Amino acid sequence: MWTEGSSAVTDWLDHLLILPILLPLAVAAVLIPINERDRTLKGAIGFASTLVVFILSMILMRLAAAGTGSLPGSGVYQLGNWPAPFGIVLVLDRLSALMLCLTSGLALAAQAYSMARWHTAGHHFHSLFQLLVAGLNGAFLTGDLFNLFVFFEMMLAASYGLLLHGSGPLRVKAGLHYIAVNLAASALFLIGVSLIYGAAGTLNMADLATKLAALEPRSRTLVEMGSAILGVAFLVKAGMWPLSFWLPTAYAAATPPVAGVFAVLTKVGIYVIIRLHLLVFGTAAGASSGFGQDWLVTGGMLTIAFGGIGVLASQAMGRLAGYSVLVSSGTLLAAVGLGHDGMLAGALFYLVSSTLTIGAFFLLIELVERGRDAGADVLAVTMEAYGDFDEDEEEEEVGVAIPGTMAVLGLCFCLCALLLAGLPPFSGFIAKFALISGLFDMPAAELATATSAADWTYVTLLILSGLAAMIAMNRIGIRTFWASIEGTIPRVVVIEITPVVVLLAACIFLSLQAGPAMRYMQATADDLLAPLTHSDRVLSAPRAGSQ
């Protein structure tokens, strides 16, 4: 808790930590009985709830950064006033506060976008959306593995309904595959958790971090087996190759606001991998320190390569965005697995930048495609291969005026292309530069011996993935905005384009404020690299009224 005494302000802060879970959960229940004909009312209530959660997340992020109370940088909320590891605890630190803020900001943009038309495509959209937000926030705040499973299932149950929202054969087919894969991952999750609890006698992550090194070899092996099975479940959600076959199709089939908020779902898997890898299997884990690290490196690099090839091969923007999610996940998994402490802050910066960019791109795709001919892609490929005009034909016009709507959409598309490719001066470039500089952050005399083939392979893949994104986005952009095929000007309302502009503006703001942002990321990385300090904060947090 934020313990500075028994003042009203402290009591107020104590309960602030649970509100990002309780508020959307309560609003979801309130929205269910409201008639579907009153979708505008339901949308207004849901949007207000998400806005409040976003404000709460900003407050919690400031508190975590400032280190309010006797537990600098960390807050612990003990449900039922039972201390860890015996009771359920919610834990706030800089990383969980960052993920709360990222999730609620992306959800706010996606929900605003949906209110133009997509929330009318099916029933109970806003209730499912609030349940998704509650599950995501709970997963980022929980301090034990069992409640991580509970919130994980809440998030997945809501995502099943949201993916199927809008119906249609493509969504139903992709949705059934998505459900089957994630149900299998959930079963693995339970098996892994059971093994860990049977061997270690605890599911509290902070407690597990302190006990792992002292376990006898047989019990430690069981914990590692359980963690490996648990890791597979989260690597499915993170989209690591070859467990990612379902992701591009599912994300491309989802409605734009659902795909936009799904951009952060893969980051749940990344978040848990980071948390378990650095807290439970960190420097204090003894013989288990660095467990699974090589698999993360290999799998992450293969995922970058697979995603980059998919980006180049994609003819549709939805699939291009889906494969971009895989490139983002692979970049983060490999960065964590390489084990260079200096890369962690850059990886967190990249996580925020890539999630905001891909979320904005998913929202933008449908707006751009409204004005396209259904056969334009096929015809464009034919034109590239065989030519489409008579060389003797004279041009009647030197230039054509670009309508305002297409100009705005084109500018947003260009920004997405620059961010995905990692070109300067935007946050995508800063993130990749921070990753590479963190990788080689060592004296020049040690550079030759301290770097490995895996390090150089990672740098190569990082650059090539950016090149692939630039080529693919240029190709699709030319076909969409510069092609000679006549298309209609899409009808875009303000409530649809505004969320896209806001998310891209957030990326630009992140670029302009890269210094303060990187300082926060570095402080977050320092916290993650001190697992025993984190465990002590959680396990020694006093009960309410004990002072």
Side-chain angles (χ1 to χ4, degrees), residues 301 304 338 343 435-437 439-440 453-465:
M301 290 186 182
I304 298 173
L338 285 170
M343 295 180 67
L435 282 168
I436 294 174
S437 64
L439 180 62
F440 300 117
D455 297 334
W456 291 105
T457 303
Y458 179 76
V459 173
T460 303
L461 288 172
L462 200 62
I463 295 171
L464 290 179
S465 65

Side-chain angles (χ1 to χ4, degrees), residues 16-28 45-61 92 96-108 111 129-138 140-141:
L16 198 63
L17 190 52
I18 199 172
L19 288 181
I21 302 172
L22 284 185
L23 181 60
L25 199 60
V27 170
I45 295 173
F47 183 81
S49 170
T50 309
L51 178 60
V52 172
V53 170
F54 177 70
I55 295 171
L56 289 172
S57 301
M58 295 292 290
I59 294 172
L60 290 172
M61 191 174 181
L92 179 79
S96 56
L98 176 67
M99 298 306 297
L100 283 179
C101 197
L102 178 62
T103 299
S104 55
L106 193 59
L108 195 64
Q111 192 162 18
F129 198 92
Q130 293 299 310
L131 287 174
L132 181 72
V133 172
L136 284 166
N137 291 343
F140 294 136
L141 285 173

Side-chain angles (χ1 to χ4, degrees), residues 61 64-66 73 94-95 98 341-342 344-350 352 430 434 509-528:
M61 191 174 181
R94 289 181 175 90
L95 178 60
L98 176 67
D341 295 350
L344 191 53
L348 295 174
F349 192 96
Y350 178 85
V352 175
I430 297 171
F509 180 78
L510 192 63
S511 307
L512 296 174
Q513 296 296 317
M518 279 302 298
R519 285 194 290 273
Y520 182 91
M521 303 305 178
Q522 188 59 58
T524 305
D526 292 341
D527 287 346
L528 291 171

